[in-house]
């Protein structure tokens, strides 16, 4: 399901955002995870992404991240349910 979710996400994210897949981000008990990283920005890791219900929220989250000045998302409410799925943030 992760590969299909990534493919759907690819077609909806802002220009310049690269969506990649990986086999493991060490969250085995939470099968689909989402990591956001960019040079000069904080790194975010989200767990328990549900491909059946979280596509719009994932697009909103990626857009927030792409537009985040200074690299920190200060208000994640537009990301809906995913804002409650944050596993960790690594400051830049």
């Amino acid at each position: 399901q992760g590969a299909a979710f990534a493919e759907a996400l690819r077609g909806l994210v802002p220009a310049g955002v690269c969506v990649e897949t990986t086999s493991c981000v060490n969250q085995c008990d939470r099968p689909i995870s989402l990591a956001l990283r960019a040079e000069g920005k904080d790194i975010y890791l989200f767990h328990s992404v549900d491909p059946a219900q979280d596509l719009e929220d994932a697009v909103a989250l990626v857009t927030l991240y792409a537009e985040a000045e200074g690299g920190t998302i200060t208000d994640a409410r537009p990301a809906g349910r995913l804002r409650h799925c944050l596993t960790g943030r690594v400051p830049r």
Side-chain angles (χ1 to χ4, degrees):
Q1 291 181 333
F5 183 77
E7 187 59 35
L9 193 57
R10 264 185 208 102
L12 299 172
V13 295
V17 172
C18 179
V19 176
E20 299 177 2
T21 60
T22 185
S23 61
C24 180
V25 290
N26 204 25
Q27 295 201 92
C28 301
D29 60 333
R30 300 169 175 149
I32 297 181
S33 301
L34 175 67
L36 303 173
R37 68 182 176 112
E39 189 168 331
K41 292 191 172 194
D42 295 353
I43 298 170
Y44 290 88
L45 182 61
F46 296 84
H47 64 83
S48 304
V49 176
D50 181 345
Q53 73 175 13
D54 291 334
L55 185 60
E56 286 183 31
D57 288 347
V59 171
L61 179 62
V62 170
T63 302
L64 283 170
Y65 185 70
E67 296 173 353
E69 290 192 32
T72 302
I73 297 172
T74 56
D75 182 2
R77 286 177 292 180
R81 189 187 80 80
L82 290 181
R83 73 185 184 277
H84 302 293
C85 298
L86 180 66
T87 298
R89 178 181 69 87
V90 179
R92 60 186 154 111

